[in-house]
Amino acid sequence: MKKRILLTLLVVILLAAGYFLNLLLPVATGYAAKNLASGIFLSGRSQEALEAEDLNFSIIAYTNSTVDFENREVVSRLLWCKSKAIYVDGYGCTLVEDFSEEEIKNRSYKALEPLPARPDTLPWPIGDLMPDSLPEGLKPDRMNQVVEQAMSDSLPFKGSFAVMVVYKGQVVAEAYRDDFSANTRFLSWSMAKSMTNTLVGLRVKDGALAIHQPLPVEAWQADGRKAITLNNLLQMNSGLAWNEGYGGLSDVTVMLHKVGDMGLYAQEKAYEFQADSVWEYSSGSTNLVCREFRKSFSREEDYFAFPRQRLFNPLGMTSAVFEVDASGTFVGSSYVYATMRDYARFGLLYLNDGKWLGQQLLPEGWVDYTTDVAKGSGGRYGSSFWLNQSGEFPDAPRDLFLCRGHDGQFICMIPSKELVVIRTGYSKKGEFDLNQLLKGVLESLE
């Protein structure tokens, strides 16, 4: 009898383990395939470097990947599971999930706005020609010391890829790890949420979106979800159930690495709280925003061209690539690739209240809306930007607001100091201290 019970328990345990692995393995191989493909074909990094650093953790480290450079594809395998990521010209890399490879490649991606010329003879910020002199009020020796420390790869500044500081509109510090340069595209992770906010703002300016009206999602009309607005989604208080955990199986890891239509996945989540009552950070909310943003266009060609036509080109962000999921929707939660200088240009747009080179690019008052505290966030969040109203960064002014991404990606704007600070890297929790960096940078100003 005991042997039979033990055998039954063993069978149950094995079945449960197999079931769990069947859920987990596609997430692992999807993560490896997608990030390896984008790292190689957008950032220009080597497979060896990515696998030794960015993919060298948890179960991801045990995946085995094959790179097809001719067709620009990556296949990653682990046990019985495999995932494939393909390159789509102009739109980066996407996993082949829920849609066929032929469907993905044949979608109406064309009508890309041509990149504007940006020769080195054009002055910063539209070009890369930097002024010969530094702005007044700067202690250059102290600034160089601070940036050198931030690049030291020792606690509390481990894992920096690059650091850049813009003061009074001028680049006053710029440093890269030896294997990167000013031409390297860096992954935004959740800094992309702030760019999604910007695209929505531009459509609001066009009169094509209204952020405070309930969304006409047909599947929501029979329950409380019918009250959800774009504003709720942008401020992370929609009330939709969500698990943003990154340690294993969760809503966010499944969405990013196993789902073809990410916005639809988020749309189908249950209504957990009344809209505008509980703050809960959700990458799903942002991808649902992207799904609704896409619906605001009558022609797919106009939708695909919009980020470059209305945001990247006017700012001179010629390196920027906004990746799409398998359904063709921009992955606004996580997947923009751009150089440090282009991230700095984006920061300057918000530092200057939505104006670019004297012209109002964003709607009047959009930056005020963006930095207004979201209900329930305790002063930590606005509309797809993080805030310092809670004093999370005690050595920085309260008017600090920032784009913030997984593993230590930051674009920090401090209007009262005319300051933008950008940092990219690969740092696990506790390995990079942004407050210390900001403190040092502020000490470099007179």
Side-chain angles (χ1 to χ4, degrees):
M1 178 65 74
K2 289 183 178 180
K3 288 184 178 179
R4 186 176 298 175
I5 292 173
L6 288 173
L7 182 59
T8 302
L9 283 173
L10 180 60
V11 170
V12 170
I13 290 169
L14 289 174
L15 287 173
Y19 176 76
F20 178 75
L21 279 175
N22 213 43
L23 296 175
L24 179 63
L25 292 180
V27 172
T29 56
Y31 187 103
K34 165 63 184 66
N35 287 282
L36 187 58
S38 295
I40 291 171
F41 301 124
L42 286 179
S43 292
R45 301 175 65 187
S46 70
Q47 179 177 358
E48 294 74 20
L50 287 158
E51 290 179 339
E53 188 170 13
D54 305 59
L55 304 180
N56 189 20
F57 69 96
S58 185
I59 193 173
I60 312 298
Y62 298 96
T63 57
N64 184 277
S65 300
T66 303
V67 181
D68 182 340
F69 286 93
E70 182 177 354
N71 294 308
R72 291 191 282 190
E73 299 174 349
V74 172
V75 174
S76 297
R77 295 177 172 85
L78 184 58
L79 297 178
W80 60 84
C81 185
K82 73 174 182 178
S83 298
K84 184 176 185 179
I86 61 174
Y87 179 84
V88 178
D89 190 29
Y91 298 91
C93 299
T94 185
L95 286 166
V96 181
E97 296 286 353
D98 302 329
F99 296 82
S100 71
E101 189 171 336
E102 183 179 9
E103 283 181 281
I104 295 170
K105 289 184 175 179
N106 289 340
R107 199 168 276 116
S108 303
Y109 291 117
K110 306 307 175 186
L112 264 179
E113 287 292 302
L115 291 172
R118 196 180 74 200
D120 290 340
T121 54
L122 287 178
W124 172 266
I126 195 66
D128 284 337
L129 182 64
M130 304 295 175
D132 294 330
S133 59
L134 293 173
E136 293 183 3
L138 178 72
K139 303 173 185 175
D141 291 341
R142 175 58 178 149
M143 180 68 75
N144 291 337
Q145 181 187 41
V146 169
V147 171
E148 185 177 335
Q149 288 173 342
M151 295 295 299
S152 67
D153 199 30
S154 58
L155 290 174
F157 299 119
K158 282 193 67 66
S160 292
F161 292 167
V163 174
M164 189 171 181
V165 181
V166 181
Y167 178 52
K168 293 184 177 179
Q170 293 183 224
V171 177
V172 296
E174 185 177 13
Y176 298 89
R177 203 170 74 177
D178 289 345
D179 50 334
F180 300 114
S181 74
N183 295 319
T184 303
R185 292 187 180 104
F186 296 96
L187 172 58
S188 67
W189 283 121
S190 287
M191 295 195 303
K193 291 178 171 69
S194 304
M195 297 189 188
T196 299
N197 159 294
T198 310
L199 297 181
V200 170
L202 292 168
R203 287 303 271 168
V204 168
K205 188 177 182 181
D206 291 344
L209 284 174
I211 61 172
H212 294 293
Q213 292 181 2
L215 290 168
V217 178
E218 185 176 350
W220 289 358
Q221 299 312 303
D223 56 49
R225 294 178 297 178
K226 65 184 178 182
I228 297 173
T229 66
L230 277 176
N231 176 64
N232 297 146
L233 295 169
L234 289 165
Q235 294 193 336
M236 303 294 180
N237 50 27
S238 69
L240 293 174
W242 192 259
N243 180 349
E244 190 73 13
Y246 294 95
L249 275 175
S250 69
D251 291 328
V252 68
T253 58
V254 169
M255 177 185 68
L256 289 178
H257 310 119
K258 197 179 174 182
V259 172
D261 189 332
M262 299 185 192
L264 179 60
Y265 177 80
Q267 177 185 298
E268 293 173 342
K269 290 298 175 181
Y271 195 51
E272 192 172 32
F273 305 105
Q274 183 178 342
D276 213 24
S277 66
V278 175
W279 187 85
E280 185 173 30
Y281 186 79
S282 166
S283 290
S285 289
T286 307
N287 287 333
L288 183 46
V289 169
C290 288
R291 197 168 198 267
E292 293 304 308
F293 168 80
R294 185 177 186 178
K295 291 179 185 178
S296 73
F297 294 87
S298 58
R299 296 191 336 135
E300 287 279 86
E301 292 85 352
D302 295 335
Y303 155 74
F304 285 120
F306 192 84
R308 186 180 288 183
Q309 180 187 60
R310 296 291 299 280
L311 177 61
F312 298 149
N313 281 8
L315 267 58
M317 295 177 63
T318 58
S319 74
V321 175
F322 212 139
E323 294 186 304
V324 294
D325 65 14
S327 78
T329 302
F330 293 112
V331 186
S333 68
S334 312
Y335 293 149
V336 171
Y337 277 79
T339 63
M340 291 292 285
R341 292 178 183 180
D342 281 351
Y343 284 136
R345 291 178 171 94
F346 181 76
L348 283 171
L349 174 67
Y350 276 83
L351 186 76
N352 294 321
D353 198 28
K355 296 184 181 70
W356 185 254
L357 302 180
Q359 294 187 339
Q360 188 70 42
L361 185 65
L362 293 174
E364 293 278 358
W366 188 257
V367 176
D368 288 338
Y369 159 71
T370 291
T371 55
D372 190 29
V373 176
K375 289 183 181 178
S377 72
R380 298 182 63 219
Y381 207 74
S383 171
S384 303
F385 281 75
W386 293 86
L387 310 178
N388 195 36
Q389 294 298 313
S390 65
E392 179 183 359
F393 304 100
D395 292 303
R398 291 298 178 96
D399 68 334
L400 161 70
F401 65 109
L402 62 153
C403 319
R404 190 174 190 173
H406 185 55
D407 290 338
Q409 325 310 318
F410 304 104
I411 306 173
C412 305
M413 286 72 65
I414 307 179
S416 61
K417 299 296 182 181
E418 301 180 77
L419 190 66
V420 179
V421 180
I422 309 99
R423 187 268 185 180
T424 57
Y426 179 74
S427 305
K428 292 304 181 182
K429 189 174 181 179
E431 291 184 343
F432 188 87
D433 190 333
L434 179 62
N435 182 69
Q436 284 295 105
L437 172 60
L438 294 174
K439 179 182 179 182
V441 169
L442 290 164
E443 288 172 350
S444 305
L445 311 179
E446 296 178 355

